[in-house]
Amino acid sequence: MHSEKASVGLRLAAWGGLLFLHFPILIIFLYAFNTEDAAFSFPPKGFTFNWFAVAFARPDVLEAIKLSLQVACLATLIALVLGTLASAALYRRSFFGKESISLMLILPIALPGIITGIALLSAFKRLGIEPGVFTIVIGHATFCVVIVYNNVIARLRRTSQSLIEASMDLGADGWQTFRYIILPNLGSALLAGGMLAFALSFDEIIVTTFTAGHERTLPIWLLNQLSRPRDVPVTNVVAMLVMLVTMLPILGAYYLTRGGESVAGSGK
């Protein structure tokens, strides 16, 4: 009896925690369809899709969306290449300093974004690189590499070494073994890592603030909108779009990588 009561209590606590965390998001979704054209009014006055048409007719919104998509795609591509190569190198060989290198790879995702942003800005200034699209992509790639690395090395640890040995015994060279044996086994891990990296890049704002210069990605556009109360309905629509674009890849990545927690890139 006591265990059943405890179980019910834990379920209620879990649902209460989820409601507390997601209530502000639900409010944004609700007011994106509100007919009122000023700030928040409670209760909502009606239901309309008009603000979606208004938002997507604005050039500044479209430019911000285009830039965010461009940066996210480029950062994800760089992360897929570098993260896969790094995980393959660290998985295949044991050498002095291997754990230190692994820690350095994981560190950017653990550091506060403001530290990463300041460090990148200082480095770019020292190298004489002007902030722009290039610097945003490099900044986003620093933490996107970690996501791909963790996913790929976890999958490599679950890949049977006997498959690779059998391929070599049958006469396949290194490239053929990678193409026909290793890469198919890494497919879902690469897809999940890429989806998650894209989602994190698309809504990143702290690192972007230090590396964007005069460029405005969608999160920076949203931040600037806070000082324009007349644009609240349009801001709600764009915020909902950002949440959907980031939430769906994260959910997809979760379902693709379930069961791999025990072999994550941290080695724990």
Side-chain angles (χ1 to χ4, degrees), residues 181-195:
I181 303 299
I182 299 177
L183 193 58
N185 280 283
L186 295 180
S188 60
L190 288 171
L191 180 60
M195 293 167 64

Side-chain angles (χ1 to χ4, degrees), residues 28-174:
I28 294 294
F29 274 64
L30 177 64
Y31 278 92
F33 299 95
N34 187 20
T35 56
E36 191 70 32
D37 62 351
F40 291 116
S41 59
F42 188 84
K45 304 302 181 182
F47 184 90
T48 182
F49 287 100
N50 177 60
W51 299 118
F52 289 83
V54 174
F56 290 108
R58 289 180 49 164
D60 56 335
V61 174
L62 296 179
E63 285 297 321
I65 293 174
K66 179 182 176 181
L67 179 59
S68 287
L69 289 174
Q70 179 184 358
V71 168
C73 288
L74 290 173
T76 300
L77 181 61
I78 294 172
L80 285 171
V81 175
L82 296 183
T84 302
L85 293 176
S87 59
L90 291 176
Y91 169 73
R92 292 187 62 183
R93 295 286 185 267
S94 294
F95 52 88
F96 177 76
K98 177 179 177 179
E99 295 301 323
S100 298
I101 294 175
S102 180
L103 176 63
M104 294 296 289
L105 279 168
I106 297 171
L107 198 58
I109 202 70
L111 287 173
I114 191 170
I115 301 298
T116 303
I118 292 173
L120 286 167
L121 181 60
S122 300
F124 291 141
K125 284 187 174 181
R126 182 62 62 90
L127 295 173
I129 301 174
E130 291 297 321
V133 176
F134 174 75
T135 56
I136 301 174
V137 171
I138 297 301
H140 287 199
T142 57
F143 56 82
C144 288
V145 167
V146 184
I147 304 300
V148 176
Y149 166 77
N150 268 331
N151 277 276
V152 173
I153 202 168
R155 182 59 54 84
L156 286 172
R157 288 171 178 168
R158 285 188 288 169
T159 301
S160 174
Q161 188 67 26
S162 60
L163 292 174
I164 301 174
E165 293 173 354
S167 174
M168 298 298 232
D169 289 341
L170 292 171
D173 56 28

Side-chain angles (χ1 to χ4, degrees), residues 149-251:
Y149 166 77
N150 268 331
N151 277 276
V152 173
I153 202 168
R155 182 59 54 84
L156 286 172
R157 288 171 178 168
R158 285 188 288 169
T159 301
S160 174
Q161 188 67 26
S162 60
L163 292 174
I164 301 174
E165 293 173 354
S167 174
M168 298 298 232
D169 289 341
L170 292 171
D173 56 28
W175 167 248
Q176 289 173 322
T177 300
F178 175 77
R179 180 180 177 185
Y180 295 110
I181 303 299
I182 299 177
L183 193 58
N185 280 283
L186 295 180
S188 60
L190 288 171
L191 180 60
M195 293 167 64
L196 189 55
F198 179 89
L200 291 178
S201 174
F202 189 81
D203 73 345
E204 166 60 37
I205 187 169
I206 300 176
V207 173
T208 311
T209 302
F210 288 92
T211 58
H214 298 294
E215 301 290 342
R216 288 203 307 175
T217 60
L218 201 56
I220 291 181
W221 182 90
L222 285 169
L223 182 64
N224 292 336
Q225 288 295 108
L226 294 178
S227 60
R228 301 176 181 176
R230 290 182 178 274
D231 281 349
V232 165
V234 175
T235 305
N236 290 334
V237 170
V238 178
M240 188 177 73
L241 171 67
V242 172
M243 285 185 282
L244 290 175
V245 170
T246 55
M247 179 179 64
L248 296 178
I250 290 173
L251 289 175

